[in-house]
Amino acid sequence: INCARMMLHHGLTQWGSARITRKLNRQARRLTCRVFNAANAQGCQKKKLVFLGTPDVAATVLKDLLEASRQPDSLFEVSAVISQPGKPKGRGNKSVPIPSPVEQLAREMGVAPEHIMCPATAKEEAFLTALRGLSPDLCVTAAYGNMLPQRLLDI
């Protein structure tokens, strides 16, 4: 929503939207490199990263993270992908939820189904327990779309 407001405010076109996406991707890459280079300076094992996102712009960030994590010299692995549950689309498809762009990309890029989570709310106890069990080193959020409760932030 904030990105859409910014685009409307500045009168940006589709080209402007792509420019913002590229800028967000560069910033995410820089942050990821800084955090994991500092943490992995002594040759520790790969750090666990959890990604939270839902729309197309978040899917581009996830794609970059997944590609970077599969490099031989990568300092991190994407342990889990968290997205909002799929929403029904169209007039006659009210009972068939369509997965979010992030969930769809995670499946296409080979993330294990048990590592793709789509809780109705981030307050669900089963979801928080599963996330706690992963013990992530870092959570990256890109347009997740739900408020993150303090219990999640404490993990």
Side-chain angles (χ1 to χ4, degrees):
I1 292 175
N2 289 337
C3 195
R5 282 187 194 143
M6 185 170 57
M7 287 173 16
L8 288 174
H9 176 71
H10 294 289
L12 297 176
T13 62
Q14 184 66 28
W15 176 83
S17 175
R19 193 168 142 205
I20 290 170
T21 301
R22 285 193 305 272
K23 185 174 181 179
L24 286 173
N25 287 342
R26 282 194 306 270
Q27 289 174 347
R29 276 189 222 115
R30 252 185 260 127
L31 172 66
T32 302
C33 288
R34 258 189 250 136
V35 168
F36 288 119
N37 283 338
N40 207 14
Q42 297 176 344
C44 302
Q45 67 182 17
K46 288 187 175 188
K47 301 299 177 183
K48 295 178 186 176
L49 181 140
V50 172
F51 180 81
L52 296 93
T54 303
D56 287 324
V57 69
T60 59
V61 175
L62 174 61
K63 183 177 180 184
D64 287 344
L65 287 171
L66 286 169
E67 288 173 353
S69 72
R70 293 178 178 159
Q71 297 300 315
D73 60 344
S74 174
L75 303 174
F76 67 95
E77 64 183 4
V78 178
S79 303
V81 175
I82 302 166
S83 182
Q84 288 189 28
K87 306 267 192 265
K89 283 193 174 182
R91 291 184 175 197
N93 299 328
K94 298 211 185 276
S95 64
V96 180
I98 305 296
S100 73
V102 164
E103 180 184 357
Q104 205 166 14
L105 178 72
R107 292 183 194 285
E108 289 170 6
M109 292 194 72
V111 176
E114 62 270 11
H115 294 283
I116 301 172
M117 302 178 208
C118 299
T121 70
K123 295 178 184 179
E124 288 182 12
E125 194 58 43
F127 162 68
L128 291 171
T129 302
L131 188 60
R132 205 173 289 114
L134 290 172
S135 60
D137 295 305
L138 178 70
C139 290
V140 175
T141 306
Y144 176 58
N146 277 339
M147 295 294 291
L148 301 177
Q150 187 61 45
R151 291 182 7 205
L152 186 141
L153 298 174
D154 290 341
I155 295 175

